[in-house]
Amino acid sequence: MRTTTLGGQGPEAGVIGLGCMGMTHSYDMAAPRDDATSVSVIHQALDLGMTLIDTADAYGPYTNEELVGRALTGGHRDRAVLATKVGLITDSVQSANPGSTSPGAARHGRPEHVRESIDGSLRRLGTDHVDLYQLHRVDPQVPLEETWGAMAETVAAGKARHIGLSEATVEEVRRAQAVHPVTSVQSELSLWTRDALAEVLPYCQQQGIAFLQFSPLGRGFLTGRFASFDDLPQDDFRRRLPRFQQNALRANLAIVGRVRQVADRVGATPAQVALAWVLAQGEHVVPIPGTKTPKYLADNAGAADVQLSAADLAELDALPAPQGTRY
Ligand SMILES: NC(=O)c1ccc[n+]([C@@H]2O[C@H](COP(=O)([O-])OP(=O)(O)OC[C@H]3O[C@@H](n4cnc5c(N)ncnc54)[C@H](OP(=O)(O)O)[C@@H]3O)[C@@H](O)[C@H]2O)c1
């Protein structure tokens, strides 16, 4: 797979990465976990050149980093561009951190939290450094300069090679840049979530900051897998999202139908077309589709070779807006 340099001076990574969240978190939580297959999917990704492996301490919590750490033993660590995140805590992590300031699923940007969390992440990941340490969310209760200063300390300490933000505004990226270079911004971008195209993505392009697109397959919807609310697994986070409610989902199938038409015309799958569209949004973009399924991983890797013409891109640009908000 062709590669790109993250953030100008960052590591070289395949232009499509792998999001590991769904291997232990959010989706299909009632089904038994199949860690052996997940580990083999991570190895398959590395073999195919999808070297950016994305996780977070909040996924599980912790179980996702543990799984990724297990997958990267036995010489695989050096083949990966390992990216994790800090600063978003779920209830169970929060109860272990009684000093936390925010209620519910919380943003947690206090510098001491960053300083402590990196060590836990490194332990679970079985490594002495991560290649990219990302602030999962900016905490409005803590000046970003303080959080980002602590993120920069992880670089100075050799525990992270580079640092990035997630779901940040241009203003927040600018403030962070004034403290320490921002290697990447990770935000949702897909055929049905295009907000980042207005400001954040152009700003990243202009600054040479890598843009990592999360949920590039619309959490699986754009692949055509879900024809009805009942197709969603029990105990699946998507059952709570507005776009997946029965009426909205039915309306949103029109989007998938049009993606499928383009896919049939270019001889690709809908997932590949969705990924080829996000890849076409710029030079510094790296989508991180999530999967725990070998055949989907292979399908997603193939998207790097799908050529969309100007007419295909125009047709996809003109897709109707989805019904329902993101969250
Ligand atoms: N920074 C943030 O706040 C944030 C938020 C959300 C996600 N993320 C990151 O972004 C990554 C990807 O996002 P995501 O997992 O939410 O959404 P996604 O990549 O848009 O979609 C994942 C879903 O699509 C399915 N899928 C993947 N490839 C497929 C294919 N070729 N054909 C059919 N189905 C396919 C997966 O199935 P299986 O799992 O069953 O294989 C899974 O259900 C996450 O893993 C995580 O690392 C970050």
Side-chain angles (χ1 to χ4, degrees), residues 218-232:
R219 300 183 183 269
F221 183 75
L222 298 167
T223 69
R225 261 177 76 186
F226 304 113
S228 134
F229 181 81
D230 296 328
D231 290 344
L232 291 165

Side-chain angles (χ1 to χ4, degrees), residues 265-308:
R265 200 166 63 224
V266 302
T269 63
Q272 289 176 333
V273 167
L275 291 174
W277 180 85
V278 287
L279 278 171
Q281 302 310 310
E283 263 177 48
H284 301 288
V285 298
V286 180
I288 47 168
T291 186
K292 48 184 166 32
T293 311
K295 79 170 181 209
Y296 294 159
L297 194 281
D299 189 29
N300 297 344
D305 299 319
V306 171
Q307 299 290 334
L308 295 177

